[in-house]
Amino acid sequence: MKTEWRIFLVIAGFLLFATVLYGAWTAGESGGVEWVGTTALLLSFLLCAMCGGFFWFVSRRIDLRPEDRPDAEIADGAGEVGFFSPGSYWPFGIALSASIAGLGLVFWQFWLVGLGLLAVVFAACGLLFEYYTGTRRTAEH
């Protein structure tokens, strides 16, 4: 995780520099700060700083991964990565639901936004519980 937090914090530092430079530049050019771009750069800086801080926080609490050790071999990273569904239609449902919510935002129809967000929650739950095998799973006949 050392690599990840360093990358994110370097990008965050660049974005902070770009935010200050952009704000000063637009203030000098037009007599007032252009707030949309300055705010977008500032929020991008905050997002990268938040991700970098999270990765830094996590990297202190876990053992070094093979990616973080200079003496590691390629075979050290071998093994099971996790389970990935071979064929699931739920990601398509999430994308369709998000598109419906996006169309509701475009046309400023709050009922469509609500319907789309409700469908996103339903599709995300479907994806999450697609292979659920816990104790509360309903019996299949």
PDB file of all heavy atoms in Angstrom, residues 66-84:
ATOM      1  N   PRO A  66       3.833  -8.134  -1.466  1.00  0.00           N
ATOM      2  CA  PRO A  66       4.956  -8.328  -2.386  1.00  0.00           C
ATOM      3  C   PRO A  66       5.218  -7.097  -3.252  1.00  0.00           C
ATOM      4  O   PRO A  66       6.365  -6.823  -3.602  1.00  0.00           O
ATOM      5  CB  PRO A  66       4.512  -9.513  -3.241  1.00  0.00           C
ATOM      6  CG  PRO A  66       3.536 -10.255  -2.403  1.00  0.00           C
ATOM      7  CD  PRO A  66       2.861  -9.216  -1.558  1.00  0.00           C
ATOM      8  N   GLU A  67       4.189  -6.335  -3.563  1.00  0.00           N
ATOM      9  CA  GLU A  67       4.364  -5.142  -4.391  1.00  0.00           C
ATOM     10  C   GLU A  67       5.153  -4.049  -3.670  1.00  0.00           C
ATOM     11  O   GLU A  67       5.718  -3.165  -4.303  1.00  0.00           O
ATOM     12  CB  GLU A  67       2.999  -4.570  -4.802  1.00  0.00           C
ATOM     13  CG  GLU A  67       2.181  -5.473  -5.690  1.00  0.00           C
ATOM     14  CD  GLU A  67       1.327  -6.437  -4.904  1.00  0.00           C
ATOM     15  OE1 GLU A  67       1.323  -6.402  -3.660  1.00  0.00           O
ATOM     16  OE2 GLU A  67       0.652  -7.261  -5.546  1.00  0.00           O
ATOM     17  N   ASP A  68       5.163  -4.100  -2.352  1.00  0.00           N
ATOM     18  CA  ASP A  68       5.823  -3.064  -1.567  1.00  0.00           C
ATOM     19  C   ASP A  68       7.253  -3.430  -1.171  1.00  0.00           C
ATOM     20  O   ASP A  68       7.974  -2.590  -0.649  1.00  0.00           O
ATOM     21  CB  ASP A  68       5.013  -2.782  -0.292  1.00  0.00           C
ATOM     22  CG  ASP A  68       3.641  -2.230  -0.600  1.00  0.00           C
ATOM     23  OD1 ASP A  68       3.503  -1.554  -1.628  1.00  0.00           O
ATOM     24  OD2 ASP A  68       2.710  -2.483   0.188  1.00  0.00           O
ATOM     25  N   ARG A  69       7.645  -4.677  -1.388  1.00  0.00           N
ATOM     26  CA  ARG A  69       8.984  -5.119  -0.996  1.00  0.00           C
ATOM     27  C   ARG A  69       9.925  -5.116  -2.191  1.00  0.00           C
ATOM     28  O   ARG A  69       9.616  -5.692  -3.236  1.00  0.00           O
ATOM     29  CB  ARG A  69       8.915  -6.535  -0.419  1.00  0.00           C
ATOM     30  CG  ARG A  69       8.173  -6.612   0.879  1.00  0.00           C
ATOM     31  CD  ARG A  69       8.308  -7.970   1.575  1.00  0.00           C
ATOM     32  NE  ARG A  69       8.920  -9.019   0.799  1.00  0.00           N
ATOM     33  CZ  ARG A  69       8.284 -10.125   0.402  1.00  0.00           C
ATOM     34  NH1 ARG A  69       7.026 -10.306   0.679  1.00  0.00           N
ATOM     35  NH2 ARG A  69       8.920 -11.056  -0.268  1.00  0.00           N
ATOM     36  N   PRO A  70      11.088  -4.494  -2.073  1.00  0.00           N
ATOM     37  CA  PRO A  70      12.014  -4.485  -3.208  1.00  0.00           C
ATOM     38  C   PRO A  70      12.662  -5.839  -3.479  1.00  0.00           C
ATOM     39  O   PRO A  70      13.122  -6.111  -4.579  1.00  0.00           O
ATOM     40  CB  PRO A  70      13.072  -3.446  -2.804  1.00  0.00           C
ATOM     41  CG  PRO A  70      12.953  -3.308  -1.337  1.00  0.00           C
ATOM     42  CD  PRO A  70      11.554  -3.680  -0.963  1.00  0.00           C
ATOM     43  N   ASP A  71      12.689  -6.730  -2.465  1.00  0.00           N
ATOM     44  CA  ASP A  71      13.318  -8.037  -2.651  1.00  0.00           C
ATOM     45  C   ASP A  71      12.329  -9.123  -3.047  1.00  0.00           C
ATOM     46  O   ASP A  71      12.683 -10.297  -3.112  1.00  0.00           O
ATOM     47  CB  ASP A  71      14.039  -8.447  -1.367  1.00  0.00           C
ATOM     48  CG  ASP A  71      13.080  -8.629  -0.203  1.00  0.00           C
ATOM     49  OD1 ASP A  71      12.009  -7.986  -0.207  1.00  0.00           O
ATOM     50  OD2 ASP A  71      13.399  -9.408   0.717  1.00  0.00           O
ATOM     51  N   ALA A  72      11.086  -8.772  -3.333  1.00  0.00           N
ATOM     52  CA  ALA A  72      10.054  -9.762  -3.626  1.00  0.00           C
ATOM     53  C   ALA A  72      10.231 -10.342  -5.022  1.00  0.00           C
ATOM     54  O   ALA A  72      10.706  -9.686  -5.944  1.00  0.00           O
ATOM     55  CB  ALA A  72       8.674  -9.132  -3.504  1.00  0.00           C
ATOM     56  N   GLU A  73       9.830 -11.583  -5.154  1.00  0.00           N
ATOM     57  CA  GLU A  73       9.818 -12.267  -6.446  1.00  0.00           C
ATOM     58  C   GLU A  73       8.402 -12.224  -7.007  1.00  0.00           C
ATOM     59  O   GLU A  73       7.437 -12.012  -6.276  1.00  0.00           O
ATOM     60  CB  GLU A  73      10.257 -13.723  -6.281  1.00  0.00           C
ATOM     61  CG  GLU A  73      11.673 -13.889  -5.761  1.00  0.00           C
ATOM     62  CD  GLU A  73      12.701 -13.467  -6.798  1.00  0.00           C
ATOM     63  OE1 GLU A  73      12.437 -13.618  -8.005  1.00  0.00           O
ATOM     64  OE2 GLU A  73      13.767 -12.973  -6.390  1.00  0.00           O
ATOM     65  N   ILE A  74       8.289 -12.471  -8.295  1.00  0.00           N
ATOM     66  CA  ILE A  74       6.968 -12.474  -8.934  1.00  0.00           C
ATOM     67  C   ILE A  74       6.082 -13.559  -8.341  1.00  0.00           C
ATOM     68  O   ILE A  74       4.883 -13.371  -8.134  1.00  0.00           O
ATOM     69  CB  ILE A  74       7.111 -12.653 -10.457  1.00  0.00           C
ATOM     70  CG1 ILE A  74       7.784 -11.422 -11.050  1.00  0.00           C
ATOM     71  CG2 ILE A  74       5.759 -12.885 -11.100  1.00  0.00           C
ATOM     72  CD1 ILE A  74       8.076 -11.525 -12.521  1.00  0.00           C
ATOM     73  N   ALA A  75       6.682 -14.694  -8.008  1.00  0.00           N
ATOM     74  CA  ALA A  75       5.917 -15.813  -7.457  1.00  0.00           C
ATOM     75  C   ALA A  75       5.330 -15.502  -6.087  1.00  0.00           C
ATOM     76  O   ALA A  75       4.374 -16.158  -5.657  1.00  0.00           O
ATOM     77  CB  ALA A  75       6.807 -17.048  -7.363  1.00  0.00           C
ATOM     78  N   ASP A  76       5.870 -14.507  -5.381  1.00  0.00           N
ATOM     79  CA  ASP A  76       5.335 -14.146  -4.065  1.00  0.00           C
ATOM     80  C   ASP A  76       3.911 -13.606  -4.166  1.00  0.00           C
ATOM     81  O   ASP A  76       3.146 -13.685  -3.210  1.00  0.00           O
ATOM     82  CB  ASP A  76       6.222 -13.105  -3.386  1.00  0.00           C
ATOM     83  CG  ASP A  76       7.577 -13.662  -3.006  1.00  0.00           C
ATOM     84  OD1 ASP A  76       7.702 -14.900  -2.926  1.00  0.00           O
ATOM     85  OD2 ASP A  76       8.495 -12.853  -2.798  1.00  0.00           O
ATOM     86  N   GLY A  77       3.570 -13.048  -5.301  1.00  0.00           N
ATOM     87  CA  GLY A  77       2.232 -12.505  -5.484  1.00  0.00           C
ATOM     88  C   GLY A  77       1.246 -13.508  -6.035  1.00  0.00           C
ATOM     89  O   GLY A  77       0.084 -13.173  -6.276  1.00  0.00           O
ATOM     90  N   ALA A  78       1.674 -14.757  -6.254  1.00  0.00           N
ATOM     91  CA  ALA A  78       0.791 -15.772  -6.816  1.00  0.00           C
ATOM     92  C   ALA A  78      -0.200 -16.248  -5.760  1.00  0.00           C
ATOM     93  O   ALA A  78       0.016 -16.115  -4.564  1.00  0.00           O
ATOM     94  CB  ALA A  78       1.604 -16.953  -7.328  1.00  0.00           C
ATOM     95  N   GLY A  79      -1.280 -16.795  -6.223  1.00  0.00           N
ATOM     96  CA  GLY A  79      -2.284 -17.334  -5.317  1.00  0.00           C
ATOM     97  C   GLY A  79      -3.669 -16.845  -5.693  1.00  0.00           C
ATOM     98  O   GLY A  79      -3.862 -16.164  -6.701  1.00  0.00           O
ATOM     99  N   GLU A  80      -4.602 -17.203  -4.877  1.00  0.00           N
ATOM    100  CA  GLU A  80      -5.991 -16.838  -5.154  1.00  0.00           C
ATOM    101  C   GLU A  80      -6.214 -15.359  -4.892  1.00  0.00           C
ATOM    102  O   GLU A  80      -5.845 -14.833  -3.854  1.00  0.00           O
ATOM    103  CB  GLU A  80      -6.915 -17.664  -4.270  1.00  0.00           C
ATOM    104  CG  GLU A  80      -8.366 -17.444  -4.583  1.00  0.00           C
ATOM    105  CD  GLU A  80      -9.278 -18.375  -3.791  1.00  0.00           C
ATOM    106  OE1 GLU A  80      -8.837 -19.467  -3.422  1.00  0.00           O
ATOM    107  OE2 GLU A  80     -10.425 -17.973  -3.546  1.00  0.00           O
ATOM    108  N   VAL A  81      -6.831 -14.704  -5.844  1.00  0.00           N
ATOM    109  CA  VAL A  81      -7.118 -13.280  -5.716  1.00  0.00           C
ATOM    110  C   VAL A  81      -8.511 -13.082  -5.133  1.00  0.00           C
ATOM    111  O   VAL A  81      -8.755 -12.198  -4.334  1.00  0.00           O
ATOM    112  CB  VAL A  81      -7.003 -12.583  -7.091  1.00  0.00           C
ATOM    113  CG1 VAL A  81      -7.391 -11.130  -6.989  1.00  0.00           C
ATOM    114  CG2 VAL A  81      -5.601 -12.721  -7.624  1.00  0.00           C
ATOM    115  N   GLY A  82      -9.434 -13.902  -5.528  1.00  0.00           N
ATOM    116  CA  GLY A  82     -10.809 -13.790  -5.051  1.00  0.00           C
ATOM    117  C   GLY A  82     -11.751 -14.448  -6.029  1.00  0.00           C
ATOM    118  O   GLY A  82     -11.333 -15.034  -7.035  1.00  0.00           O
ATOM    119  N   PHE A  83     -13.025 -14.363  -5.753  1.00  0.00           N
ATOM    120  CA  PHE A  83     -14.032 -14.956  -6.626  1.00  0.00           C
ATOM    121  C   PHE A  83     -14.650 -13.871  -7.483  1.00  0.00           C
ATOM    122  O   PHE A  83     -15.047 -12.826  -6.981  1.00  0.00           O
ATOM    123  CB  PHE A  83     -15.123 -15.640  -5.803  1.00  0.00           C
ATOM    124  CG  PHE A  83     -16.265 -16.132  -6.638  1.00  0.00           C
ATOM    125  CD1 PHE A  83     -16.117 -17.254  -7.425  1.00  0.00           C
ATOM    126  CD2 PHE A  83     -17.461 -15.458  -6.662  1.00  0.00           C
ATOM    127  CE1 PHE A  83     -17.156 -17.700  -8.209  1.00  0.00           C
ATOM    128  CE2 PHE A  83     -18.509 -15.887  -7.440  1.00  0.00           C
ATOM    129  CZ  PHE A  83     -18.362 -17.019  -8.221  1.00  0.00           C
ATOM    130  N   PHE A  84     -14.697 -14.111  -8.766  1.00  0.00           N
ATOM    131  CA  PHE A  84     -15.316 -13.196  -9.703  1.00  0.00           C
ATOM    132  C   PHE A  84     -16.379 -13.952 -10.470  1.00  0.00           C
ATOM    133  O   PHE A  84     -16.141 -15.045 -10.986  1.00  0.00           O
ATOM    134  CB  PHE A  84     -14.278 -12.602 -10.663  1.00  0.00           C
ATOM    135  CG  PHE A  84     -13.204 -11.844  -9.966  1.00  0.00           C
ATOM    136  CD1 PHE A  84     -12.006 -12.451  -9.634  1.00  0.00           C
ATOM    137  CD2 PHE A  84     -13.409 -10.527  -9.604  1.00  0.00           C
ATOM    138  CE1 PHE A  84     -11.020 -11.746  -8.976  1.00  0.00           C
ATOM    139  CE2 PHE A  84     -12.438  -9.819  -8.939  1.00  0.00           C
ATOM    140  CZ  PHE A  84     -11.238 -10.433  -8.626  1.00  0.00           C
TER     141      PHE A  84
END
